[in-house]
Amino acid sequence: MIEVPRAALISDKIASLVDETDGKPLCTFFSYGTNDLTQMTMGISRDDSNGFIPKYLDLGIMLDDPFQTIDEEGVGKLVQHSAALGKSVNPTMSLSVCGEHGGDPKSIAFFDKVGLNYVSCSPYRVPVARLAAAQIRVQTRMAKAKEREENRTASVQSKQTTMGNIESMSKVIVQ
């Protein structure tokens, strides 16, 4: 589990550890404990946060409760950096998140964007997590289909322009 900022910052070293007897990687996956990582990164206790986070939200100091939705600018950057470091050493490494963020649609979208493979959350949040993951998959596939169609259309238009130029040149040559 990657639960402290230092572990996130040196994830490549963690991922590169191998068993001295057989040479196999000791670490084949990272699971991000985002509740603890949030507490340690932000320096606030989740247990005490109800006393001030609602006020911070009202004043616009925070846009979301960082214990409900991942803090993309801070904790999220650590997760993204760690995932990139881990994958740089072991491209087949599995990446996941464990905690309340695993059941939040906005957080799930972020985790998908930075390359995590799956989320784990409390049982009552599983339906929401599955729906969010499915919606992200549909949106991703639709975006890729749109991009393919735009590329195809551009290619056809380019060929038509080229053919038009060839026809114009042949008329000039014939004259």
Side-chain angles (χ1 to χ4, degrees), residues 104-119:
D104 173 61
K106 188 174 175 185
S107 299
I108 292 169
F110 173 77
F111 296 136
D112 181 69
K113 183 175 71 176
V114 300
L116 272 62
N117 305 103
Y118 63 94
V119 298

Side-chain angles (χ1 to χ4, degrees), residues 72-133:
E72 291 184 27
E73 293 178 331
V75 180
K77 288 268 195 243
L78 286 173
V79 171
Q80 182 176 16
H81 180 73
S82 171
L85 288 175
K87 288 281 192 173
S88 75
V89 173
N90 181 355
T92 63
M93 175 177 278
S94 179
L95 304 170
S96 68
V97 65
C98 177
E100 291 306 307
H101 296 111
D104 173 61
K106 188 174 175 185
S107 299
I108 292 169
F110 173 77
F111 296 136
D112 181 69
K113 183 175 71 176
V114 300
L116 272 62
N117 305 103
Y118 63 94
V119 298
S120 173
C121 60
S122 55
Y124 77 92
R125 297 188 91 176
V126 169
V128 170
R130 291 185 71 164
L131 179 60

Side-chain angles (χ1 to χ4, degrees), residues 11 15 23 37 48 91 105 115 119-120 140-142 144 148 150 161:
S11 294
L37 192 56
D48 300 332
V119 298
S120 173
T140 301
R141 287 182 180 171
M142 288 176 65
K144 285 180 182 178
R148 280 192 306 271
E150 288 171 352
T161 302

Side-chain angles (χ1 to χ4, degrees), residues 168-175:
S168 297
M169 289 186 333
S170 68
K171 288 178 184 174
V172 171
I173 295 171
V174 172
Q175 295 173 353

Side-chain angles (χ1 to χ4, degrees), residues 50-70:
N50 285 337
F52 59 88
I53 287 185
K55 185 70 170 171
Y56 285 8
L57 295 171
D58 288 343
L59 294 171
I61 295 170
M62 292 180 163
L63 299 177
D64 295 298
D65 180 337
F67 293 106
Q68 298 300 315
T69 300
I70 194 79

